[in-house]
Amino acid sequence: MPDASNLPAERQFDVVVVGGGLAGLYAIHRLRGMGLKVRAYEAGSGVGGTWFWNRYPGARCDVESLEYSYSFSDELQQEWKWPERYGTQPEILRYIEHVADRFDLRRDVELNTRVKSAVFDKQSGDWTIVTDKGEAVRARYCVMAAGNLSTPRVPDFKGIGDFRGKWYHSGLWPHEGVDFTGLRVGVIGTGSSGVQMIPIIARQAKTLHVFQRTANFSLPARNAPMEPERESRHKADYPARRRAAYDTPFAIGGYPKPTQSALATSAGDREAAYEAKWREGGSISFLYAYNDLLVNKQSNDTASEFVREKIRGIVTDPKVAELLAPDDHPIGTKRLCLDTGYYETYNRDNVTLVDVRSDPIAEITPSGVKTGSAAYELDAIVFATGFDAMTGALREIDIRTTAGDTLAEKWEGGPLTYLGLMVAGFPNLFAITGPGSPGVKTQMIASIEQHVDWIAGCLGHLRANGLDRIEASPTAETGWVAHVNAVADGTLYPLANSWYVGANIPGKPRVFMPYVGGFDAYKRRCDAVAANGYEGFVLSRSAATQPA
Ligand code: N01
């Protein structure tokens, strides 16, 4: 590790931020606004995080654009015009770039730079951050804004290096795009990424083979151009709409909170309610049809069966329809996909669904994909196989203290945090929307702003009290982890083999990582913790800054 003991002033910061996506950029803006000296590092050659990397065909947000945007500046939310109901990847990236320029954030982001290690000096109370360029900087605080779905994962298939065609991962898509015209293409994976790209690739490719291990529920997005009246209505009382959204579990407004159990109505009324939601489009809207779809299996069965029936009605080959109809998890317990023409795509003559649950992929050969019983000749393979979610980005950084504690060891059995914000034993290290936070189960930008605002409030409190060190207490951490698990156990979520429990990564401990108690409850808890003098945290002054 480079010697960081005597760094010049330009390499010393109040806060180092890891990541230049939506979270990193807002952290720069907010913390710089407090007069703190901030430096962010971003591995990509541009800002944008998720929206910088995930450029696959059809990449689009599944939260409506008027909701999925920053709220911290009313001028910004008034002036930006979203052209469609759901933002496309290029549009969202354009928005993030605009934010970076409008608030002059780029000058504090070092691009093309990956953070390799972060070491906390228990004596001085500083973090030393070392990058892949071998440079070291010091900072009193370190904010990890490295993303939850930012570590792409290609399964360890035998023979992948010998494939003669080209292969791609959804989360590392070439900037120049990929033209599949006339090619024999294979897509492996049918999560949100696969479901979005499959209809588009099918229209380009000569043939498309979709290798499906687990069928996922998908609902129609019903994307459309933004209606000017809808936009004006929304913008007319944007701040009030945001406040109302933050008082809901998903931090998404516009849907009345359901008050009734699915089982309290007749089959006919339920059918009509689901049908209305299906026509309206959107996943939260559908899950909001009744108040117990994510907690009562019998209620959930009614919604799951409604969607399975829809699939059977759309897909003309009954065998293919049955393979596409999910039967291993309740609807909504894995990320519910939104699509445009996904199931219809399987009626095309050039599209074949390959069931790799009954006949798993054995290897990638020079000419394609081989399962146990068949070989598929392909010119291109797309891995829509997901990410080492929630902990992957932090596990890639060597995070440790001079006392010899490492985050990797601490999290060997699964991630431990207090409020998803801090880890006991690692002072002054904050995480944005990490494990133990509701982030991935909410409108992500709302969670990002809430986390960063809380951190800003906390740093302000330390400064006002002549303190500069904060650490989660082990007891508070244990309590929070138990609470996160208890809340999850009261729902149907643990019934699914999802990335929420790390099931997609062989060998990853099965631990329920997100907090599913809702954004509203979480925010109240964070606010109460702060109001009670940062209850559960130990606040102090580093020895190095004590007066002599
Ligand atoms: O990844 P995934 P994703 N052999 O992990 C399959 C967000 N997102 O990139 O389920 C064969 O969901 C795997 O099969 P199985 C969103 O939060 C949002 O699609 O493990 N198949 C699964 O089908 C989302 O949840 C948006 O059996 C293998 C697929 O690959 C998250 O990102 C858009 C396999 C991976 O699905 C991740 O979505 C895109 C193997 N060895 C993403 N290994 C929107 O906002 C894995 N699979 C709309």
Side-chain angles (χ1 to χ4, degrees):
M1 186 171 114
D3 180 16
S5 54
N6 260 323
L7 287 173
E10 68 270 17
R11 307 266 286 280
Q12 301 198 31
F13 299 90
D14 294 313
V15 188
V16 159
V17 175
V18 181
L22 285 157
L25 290 178
Y26 181 55
I28 298 171
H29 175 70
R30 185 72 172 79
L31 300 175
R32 216 169 63 181
M34 297 172 63
L36 296 170
K37 190 176 166 198
V38 183
R39 159 62 51 89
Y41 292 103
E42 165 55 51
S45 59
V47 297
T50 286
W51 300 104
F52 174 87
W53 297 104
N54 287 263
R55 298 170 187 243
Y56 60 85
R60 191 187 279 283
C61 188
D62 57 3
V63 176
E64 297 195 33
S65 36
L66 286 164
E67 300 270 341
Y68 188 82
S69 47
Y70 288 117
S71 71
F72 69 84
S73 157
D74 196 44
E75 293 80 28
L76 173 68
Q77 65 185 5
Q78 292 297 336
E79 75 198 13
W80 187 263
K81 286 191 80 66
W82 294 102
E84 293 178 82
R85 180 175 179 189
Y86 299 95
T88 59
Q89 175 273 328
E91 185 63 27
I92 297 171
L93 185 57
R94 204 163 72 74
Y95 167 76
I96 298 171
E97 287 175 342
H98 167 77
V99 171
D101 291 331
R102 195 187 189 288
F103 297 95
D104 188 22
L105 305 176
R106 291 185 198 264
R107 67 182 155 92
D108 288 323
V109 187
E110 201 164 314
L111 299 171
N112 298 304
T113 309
R114 196 173 275 282
V115 168
K116 299 300 284 180
S117 68
V119 180
F120 182 72
D121 183 333
K122 290 227 162 180
Q123 201 56 40
S124 71
D126 278 333
W127 282 92
T128 299
I129 283 78
V130 178
T131 71
D132 59 355
K133 294 178 176 157
E135 282 170 3
V137 290
R138 285 169 83 98
R140 175 83 353 154
Y141 306 102
C142 182
V143 174
M144 291 293 174
N148 287 296
L149 295 156
S150 51
T151 312
R153 179 187 163 264
V154 176
D156 195 12
F157 289 125
K158 184 179 150 208
I160 198 166
D162 302 328
F163 181 55
R164 279 196 302 264
K166 291 212 164 127
W167 64 263
Y168 311 91
H169 187 283
S170 61
L172 291 169
W173 205 258
H175 285 203
E176 63 280 11
V178 181
D179 183 6
F180 291 110
T181 308
L183 299 184
R184 298 166 303 173
V185 182
V187 172
I188 302 177
T190 52
S192 302
S193 305
V195 160
Q196 286 188 325
M197 69 172 75
I198 284 165
I200 294 174
I201 296 179
R203 292 203 291 272
Q204 268 186 17
K206 184 171 163 206
T207 60
L208 172 62
H209 283 84
V210 177
F211 297 88
Q212 173 189 273
R213 187 164 68 183
T214 309
N216 254 320
F217 286 101
S218 186
L219 303 175
R222 310 260 182 238
N223 184 45
M226 180 67 69
E227 299 159 68
E229 315 78 62
R230 181 172 180 177
E231 184 185 0
S232 326
R233 256 197 333 270
H234 204 101
K235 288 186 172 176
D237 59 348
Y238 228 143
R241 281 174 190 265
R242 296 282 195 193
R243 277 196 303 279
Y246 300 162
D247 199 24
T248 71
F250 301 107
I252 295 177
Y255 307 109
K257 269 188 194 170
T259 52
Q260 205 178 21
S261 158
L263 303 179
T265 56
S266 70
D269 285 352
R270 262 197 315 263
E271 193 73 7
Y274 292 143
E275 184 64 35
K277 299 287 188 181
W278 177 270
R279 284 182 190 284
E280 181 187 340
S283 50
I284 301 306
S285 154
F286 191 87
L287 294 173
Y288 257 30
Y290 295 103
N291 66 6
D292 57 352
L293 293 183
L294 293 171
V295 293
N296 181 324
K297 175 77 169 53
Q298 237 188 314
S299 293
N300 186 290
D301 285 344
T302 65
S304 296
E305 188 53 24
F306 173 86
V307 177
R308 282 193 287 265
E309 270 302 302
K310 283 289 183 193
I311 299 168
R312 292 176 191 123
I314 296 169
V315 180
T316 48
D317 181 331
K319 279 204 201 109
V320 177
E322 230 29 67
L323 278 177
L324 288 168
D327 62 1
D328 75 327
H329 65 280
I331 190 167
T333 56
K334 282 181 131 179
R335 174 71 170 224
L336 187 48
C337 303
L338 280 195
D339 69 273
T340 301
Y342 176 64
Y343 294 116
E344 290 83 348
T345 298
Y346 293 93
N347 294 335
R348 294 176 66 101
D349 291 339
N350 69 334
V351 176
T352 307
L353 182 66
V354 182
D355 173 20
V356 294
R357 174 161 308 277
S358 63
D359 187 17
I361 296 172
E363 61 179 308
I364 308 291
T365 66
S367 59
V369 169
K370 197 165 175 297
T371 64
S373 70
Y376 302 87
E377 301 270 310
L378 301 169
D379 303 310
I381 301 175
V382 179
F383 292 95
T385 44
F387 302 84
D388 184 353
M390 305 206 68
T391 52
L394 294 192
R395 286 198 318 186
E396 282 192 345
I397 302 171
D398 180 11
I399 299 172
R400 56 178 67 233
T401 71
T402 48
D405 304 312
T406 73
L407 192 72
E409 274 166 16
K410 168 137 190 179
W411 282 9
E412 223 162 36
L416 304 169
T417 69
Y418 177 38
L419 296 172
L421 287 164
M422 297 199 84
V423 181
F426 296 82
N428 293 2
L429 177 76
F430 297 95
I432 309 286
T433 68
S437 136
V440 296
K441 293 300 306 161
T442 68
Q443 193 275 84
M444 185 59 101
I445 304 178
S447 284
I448 286 170
E449 290 184 325
Q450 184 272 339
H451 284 48
V452 172
D453 288 345
W454 189 92
I455 293 167
C458 168
L459 299 193
H461 175 87
L462 293 175
R463 187 165 63 183
N465 289 281
L467 306 171
D468 62 1
R469 191 185 288 212
I470 176 164
E471 179 177 354
S473 85
T475 320
E477 182 179 81
T478 306
W480 182 250
V481 171
H483 177 61
V484 168
N485 280 294
V487 171
D489 287 343
T491 70
L492 303 177
Y493 284 108
L495 298 181
N497 289 320
S498 62
W499 57 256
Y500 300 144
V501 292
N504 61 327
I505 304 293
K508 193 164 171 171
R510 192 182 174 102
V511 174
F512 198 86
M513 294 184 281
Y515 174 64
V516 291
F519 178 90
D520 44 357
Y522 175 80
K523 184 174 182 314
R524 280 196 298 273
R525 177 74 179 258
C526 289
D527 291 347
V529 163
N532 292 333
Y534 294 88
E535 200 176 6
F537 291 98
V538 181
L539 278 53
S540 61
R541 184 164 177 171
S542 300
T545 57
Q546 303 272 10

